[in-house]
Amino acid sequence: MQFDWKPLPAVHHEWRRPLRWLHGALALTISLQMFTSLIMSPPFHHHTSAFGLAVFSLHQYLGLIAAAVVMLHWLWMPFDRQRLFSHLFPWGEEGRRDIVDDLRTLARWRFPASDDRGGLAGLVHGLGLLAATGAGLTGVLLYLLAGSNPAPALLFYLVVQLHSLCGNLIWGYLAGHVLLAVVHHLIGQPTLKRMFSL
Ligand code: HEM
Ligand code: HEM
């Protein structure tokens, strides 16, 4: 079977400026968090170094900013006239129908149209936002727990595990998200330009 790279005709669709800025801040802060997590060493690990501790400090404070950005993204949703909420969480009847349509289109080896409705892309974006929200909430909780004396060890352990789980989900999401954004760009869809224009 041959893959038809041509996407279905794109319905003109713009992301509004506040959302483009919010997404830019989200992409930057979350990506930095993921990167710092690879080279940091928290004080409670066996092998720490001055560099690892400094990067961990950065992870903590930048993490608080990342969590605030995620929170702002949620707060923006009710004001977004493009029905952002139903784009990201297309769980209603109409949304589920759009997802099935997109899966059928993919089964015919074509890319689904890129338009206002959420469909499969919206569903995946929503799951990515949920993973980022989980990492932000557990990160803030870790920050608060680290400040309490003595920190409840079991709770701390459980929150670290949840934080790690969210981190792993974000790795999976980020890899697919960036890859698909680049593929869309290469086949001539203005997806990247639409999201990253000022
Ligand atoms: C881990 C960090 C990221 C998260 C959590 C994330 C999340 C999202 C979400 C939720 C949307 C839907 C719009 C919105 O609600 O803001 C979206 C759209 C988009 N993202 Fe990301 N994103 C991230 C990083 C990136 C990066 C690094 C790129 C660059 C390649 C990128 C490219 C795009 C594009 C092009 C769209 C628009 C897709 C379309 O028009 O259908 N994102 N992203
Ligand atoms: C949205 C923001 C954040 C993201 C995306 C994020 C992401 C990550 C990732 C991917 C890891 C590595 C997990 C692993 O290797 O298993 C990690 C570890 C960690 N993060 Fe965050 N983080 C965020 C915010 C924060 C904040 C605000 C704190 C505040 C203290 C924090 C504290 C920690 C700690 C203590 C660890 C080490 C856990 C361990 O391996 O023992 N994070 N984070």
Side-chain angles (χ1 to χ4, degrees), residues 68-151:
V69 171
V70 174
M71 187 54 67
L72 275 180
H73 195 291
W74 280 101
L75 289 177
W76 169 251
M77 265 183 224
F79 300 101
D80 193 286
R81 290 197 300 268
Q82 283 177 318
R83 296 165 61 229
L84 181 62
F85 188 83
S86 55
H87 173 93
L88 293 174
F89 307 106
W91 299 344
E93 203 186 324
E94 191 189 337
R96 290 201 302 270
R97 210 180 316 122
D98 288 342
I99 293 169
V100 172
D101 281 353
D102 284 352
L103 287 171
R104 284 207 182 108
T105 308
L106 279 177
R108 292 198 306 270
W109 297 94
R110 299 200 68 170
F111 265 122
S114 160
D115 55 23
D116 266 336
R117 81 213 211 312
L120 192 58
L123 175 78
V124 176
H125 288 153
L127 293 177
L129 186 65
L130 285 180
T133 307
L137 286 178
T138 48
V140 171
L141 204 55
L142 284 177
Y143 185 79
L144 297 176
L145 284 173
S148 69
N149 200 8

Side-chain angles (χ1 to χ4, degrees), residues 29-31 33-38 40 42-45 56 59-67 70 131-144 146 156 160-161 163-168 170-171:
T29 54
I30 302 282
S31 301
Q33 282 306 96
M34 301 308 287
F35 176 67
T36 52
S37 81
L38 296 176
M40 71 189 191
F44 50 87
H45 278 188
F56 176 63
H59 183 86
Q60 285 185 303
Y61 292 112
L62 198 67
L64 294 177
I65 297 175
V70 174
T133 307
L137 286 178
T138 48
V140 171
L141 204 55
L142 284 177
Y143 185 79
L144 297 176
F156 192 81
V160 164
Q161 297 308 311
H163 191 66
S164 273
L165 174 70
C166 293
N168 288 333
I170 297 178
W171 277 127

